[in-house]
Amino acid sequence: MSEPVARPGRSDVDAPRPVVRPGGASETVARPVDPDVDLSDPEERAELRPSPWPVLAAIAAGGVLGALARHGLVVAFPHEAADFDRATFAINTSGCLLIGVLMELVGSVWAGRRLVRPFLGVGVLGGYTTFSAYVVDVERAVEADAPGTALLFLFASLAAALIAVAVGSGLTARLLRSRDRTRDRTRDRSGDGSRGGSRDRSADRLRGAAHGAGEVRGGR
C-alpha cells in the first residue's frame, strides 16, 4: 500500500521561504499571511487574490476610447500608399509622449491606484498607439515602389517614439520635483511664520507681565 501524502499544514505554508538575490546571495524572507485564511485550502487562498474583472473592464473601456480616437485621426488625415503617413506618425509620437508622462504620474501622484495604469496606459494609450498600422504602412510604401518613404517612416517613427517617451518622462519628473520643492518652501515659510507669531505672543506676554509687576511695585 502506498503511504498517504500529507497535505501541507498552516505552519508549512506560512513558513519563511528562501529568496535568491542578484549575485547569488540568498536570504530567508517571512511572507505576510492573513491569519484568518488557511493557505492550504485553495478556496480560502483565492480570497487573497483581487478579482481581475475590474482591471479587464478598465482595459476594455480605455481601449475602446483610444482606438476610436486613433480611427478618427486616420480618417481625418488620409494618405496614399507611397506617401509618408503623417497621421500614424503623429499618433504614435504623441502616444509615446503621453506614456512617458503617465509612467511618472503613476509612480508618484497616482501611486496605489489600481485601475489608473490599466485604464490609461494599457487601455487608452494602448488602443491609441498602433504598431500594426505602422508595419502595414511600411509594407504598402514598399509595394508602391517608394522604398525611401518606407525607410524614412520606419526609422523616423522609431526614433520619434523613443525621444517622445524620454521627453515626456523627463519633463514630468522635473515638474513634479519643482512642485515638491515649492510645497516644501511654502511649508517651511508657514512653519517659520507660526513660530515667529508664537515668539511675538510670548514676548508680548512677558512685557505685559513685567509692566504689571512694575505697576504693583509703584503702587507699593
Side-chain angles (χ1 to χ4, degrees):
M1 294 178 64
S2 60
E3 296 182 358
V5 178
R7 292 179 57 191
R10 292 178 61 89
S11 59
D12 297 329
V13 177
D14 300 352
R17 296 290 190 269
V19 176
V20 178
R21 300 298 184 189
S26 62
E27 62 182 35
T28 302
V29 178
R31 301 188 304 174
V33 176
D34 186 344
D36 296 328
V37 175
D38 184 0
L39 296 182
S40 64
D41 187 341
E43 293 183 358
E44 292 191 21
R45 190 166 60 246
E47 297 177 4
L48 300 178
R49 294 194 295 268
S51 173
W53 295 112
V55 175
L56 295 177
I59 293 173
V64 169
L65 297 177
L68 288 175
R70 172 168 55 86
H71 178 72
L73 290 174
V74 170
V75 171
F77 301 97
H79 74 288
E80 298 296 331
D83 297 336
F84 190 91
D85 187 358
R86 294 179 177 85
T88 300
F89 180 81
I91 287 169
N92 285 335
T93 303
S94 60
C96 288
L97 178 71
L98 294 175
I99 287 174
V101 173
L102 177 64
M103 290 301 98
E104 293 294 333
L105 294 176
V106 168
S108 58
V109 179
W110 296 329
R113 299 188 180 183
R114 183 185 175 211
L115 299 181
V116 170
R117 183 170 178 173
F119 176 72
L120 293 178
V122 183
V124 175
L125 295 178
Y128 177 69
T129 54
T130 170
F131 183 75
S132 57
Y134 158 72
V135 173
V136 169
D137 284 337
V138 173
E139 181 183 7
R140 290 179 61 195
V142 172
E143 293 175 350
D145 294 329
T149 302
L151 289 175
L152 177 62
F153 184 70
L154 179 68
F155 291 106
S157 296
L158 179 60
L162 294 175
I163 293 172
V165 170
V167 170
S169 177
L171 288 179
T172 306
R174 180 176 298 180
L175 290 174
L176 291 175
R177 288 194 297 267
S178 177
R179 183 202 62 172
D180 293 339
R181 287 194 296 267
T182 302
R183 284 183 176 179
D184 292 340
R185 287 195 296 267
T186 303
R187 190 179 300 112
D188 292 340
R189 284 196 298 268
S190 62
D192 293 339
S194 62
R195 288 192 293 270
S198 299
R199 288 194 295 267
D200 293 340
R201 288 191 294 272
S202 299
D204 291 340
R205 285 195 294 269
L206 290 174
R207 284 194 295 269
H211 181 68
E215 287 183 349
V216 171
R217 286 195 297 271
R220 291 179 180 174

